[in-house]
Amino acid sequence: MLNIVLFGPPGAGKGTQSEKLIAKYGFTHLSTGDIFRYNTKNKTELGQLAQSYMDKGELVPDEVTIAMLESEVEKSNTSKGFIFDGFPRTIPQAEALDKFLAGRGQSIAVMTALEVPEPELIKRLLLRGADSGRADDTDESIIKNRIQVYNDQTAVVANYYSAQNKFRAINGIGSIDEIFDRLCAVIDAVEETK
Ligand code: AMP
């Protein structure tokens, strides 16, 4: 059982790489963005609350996000472990996750971050928006706000895992397979020490 945080700014390729990691390692994928989108699409109470934040590219409040994530973990029956994608995005979320996992006799093995320069992120997100129609990917001012929010509130989460010697950054530029190989090298190295 290996729990991994896949980290990086919007557009870094977390979703794409998560799919490949699941196929190879059998992890259970928990993407808070996907769960919020599912809830907004189905007009649940949670979805309606989240929508106003997502539309602006702001973070959904910690207490709502943490409660949702914990209930998703509780619902899942995983033997291989989780890939947390898009969570934690703030220090309180990281602290809550550690505490919650510790209560279940588990922990985060590694946070691996995809590093991609900002102009490339904007290019990728606009491309994705043209394809997926995701509202927060089609408007450049919302994209820029999401990157700003990442720089202001989320980037510091790397320091939190760094202090635990669990932070591994990789180059997020290259072909999907090249980036995947870099991620696998990080995961395999962690697995070997288990
Ligand atoms: P993503 O698909 O990860 O880019 O997330 C899309 C949107 O969902 C974000 O811009 C936030 O509004 C919201 N969201 C996703 N994950 C979180 C999180 N961990 N904390 C707060 N808001 C989140």
Side-chain angles (χ1 to χ4, degrees):
M1 162 91 83
L2 213 59
N3 294 313
I4 291 166
V5 175
L6 189 54
F7 194 65
K14 300 186 294 294
T16 305
Q17 293 296 336
S18 289
E19 280 177 28
K20 291 177 71 72
L21 291 170
I22 296 155
K24 175 164 178 176
Y25 295 97
F27 296 129
T28 297
H29 186 209
L30 276 184
S31 155
T32 40
D34 284 353
I35 302 166
F36 282 135
R37 275 184 290 281
Y38 174 85
N39 277 278
T40 51
K41 201 173 136 214
N42 289 290
K43 298 196 172 23
T44 67
E45 207 178 311
L46 172 67
Q48 279 163 351
L49 191 153
Q51 178 105 52
S52 56
Y53 296 95
M54 295 172 82
D55 284 349
K56 289 182 269 182
E58 299 289 336
L59 295 184
V60 179
D62 279 340
E63 65 216 64
V64 177
T65 306
I66 291 165
M68 175 192 85
L69 190 278
E70 292 184 355
S71 103
E72 290 293 324
V73 170
E74 267 158 6
K75 270 195 258 167
S76 309
N77 202 349
T78 181
S79 58
K80 303 284 185 189
F82 292 100
I83 296 187
F84 296 102
D85 162 5
F87 184 94
R89 258 171 153 106
T90 63
I91 297 284
Q93 289 182 16
E95 288 170 345
L97 181 62
D98 267 356
K99 200 170 154 206
F100 176 69
L101 289 177
R104 299 165 59 89
Q106 293 181 41
S107 61
I108 293 296
V110 69
M111 167 192 258
T112 174
L114 298 169
E115 292 191 329
V116 179
E118 195 167 314
E120 174 70 16
L121 295 175
I122 295 173
K123 205 174 88 190
R124 287 188 192 177
L125 288 167
L126 286 169
L127 263 176
R128 183 169 79 185
D131 246 17
S132 72
R134 242 180 87 169
D136 59 347
D137 283 345
T138 42
D139 180 326
E140 194 160 337
S141 68
I142 296 174
I143 289 176
K144 286 196 167 143
N145 190 42
R146 286 162 65 206
I147 295 172
Q148 187 70 44
V149 165
Y150 175 84
N151 290 333
D152 292 346
Q153 300 178 52
T154 304
V156 289
V157 177
N159 302 340
Y160 179 88
Y161 288 95
S162 213
Q164 299 182 22
N165 196 23
K166 289 180 177 171
F167 179 70
R168 306 282 182 274
I170 64 147
N171 180 1
I173 295 286
S175 73
I176 290 176
D177 285 338
E178 279 163 355
I179 299 165
F180 181 61
D181 287 345
R182 292 174 201 144
L183 282 174
C184 292
V186 168
I187 292 168
D188 293 343
V190 173
E191 244 178 353
E192 271 170 28
T193 63
K194 286 268 146 189

